[in-house]
Amino acid sequence: MSLYEWLLFLHLLAAFLLVAGLVAYGVIVYGRGDAIVSRSLGPTAAALWNAGGLGVIVFGVWLALEVDGYELWDGWIIAAVVLWFIGSGAGGRLGAGVREGGPVQTIDSSRVLVAVMALATLLLLLDMIFKPWA
């Protein structure tokens, strides 16, 4: 396999981890708000979200540098980085709330954070598929 194929595989694997972390956070927040669920699933959700997020950005940038037809300043790549920052910011706040003891102090704010994470992830996926401004 070529370097490109490995990078693409690892980028997609990271995207799956990211979505799995999002789903795990969704279970914590949209579940019954059980502290037991939060304590048991919280570290897994954080690990999946963080590993996926880090992998997506690292392998995505590496891919952009590796492929001759792409540049880091292409519009769709800049959009992906901005969406990554938005999703990561919301995920970081939610993860901190889960670590501090329970889903988060207010369920409404945690639902907003999960919604922002989900929307950013969906838009990121659509950006990767359709590559606008490419």
Side-chain angles (χ1 to χ4, degrees):
M1 282 180 44
S2 68
L3 176 61
Y4 169 79
E5 291 168 329
W6 274 109
L7 291 174
L8 185 60
F9 168 74
L10 293 171
H11 184 63
L12 291 173
L13 179 63
F16 280 107
L17 294 175
L18 186 76
V19 171
L22 175 62
V23 169
Y25 275 131
V27 168
I28 292 170
V29 171
Y30 287 99
R32 292 180 294 192
D34 235 333
I36 294 170
V37 171
S38 180
R39 278 195 308 269
S40 60
L41 192 56
T44 303
L48 289 168
W49 177 261
N50 293 337
L54 183 63
V56 163
I57 195 73
V58 167
F59 294 119
V61 168
W62 196 348
L63 271 168
L65 295 172
E66 180 70 22
V67 175
D68 288 334
Y70 301 148
E71 299 295 337
L72 287 178
W73 53 83
D74 288 346
W76 68 278
I77 294 175
I78 292 171
V81 171
V82 169
L83 289 167
W84 180 87
F85 273 111
I86 291 169
S88 293
R93 288 187 62 196
L94 181 62
V98 169
R99 275 191 310 276
E100 289 173 4
V104 257
Q105 281 62 32
T106 63
I107 294 298
D108 288 339
S109 67
S110 62
R111 287 183 176 176
V112 169
L113 291 173
V114 169
V116 168
M117 292 163 63
L119 183 60
T121 303
L122 175 64
L123 292 174
L124 194 55
L125 177 64
L126 291 173
D127 185 51
M128 291 293 110
I129 291 170
F130 296 109
K131 296 176 180 44
W133 312 292

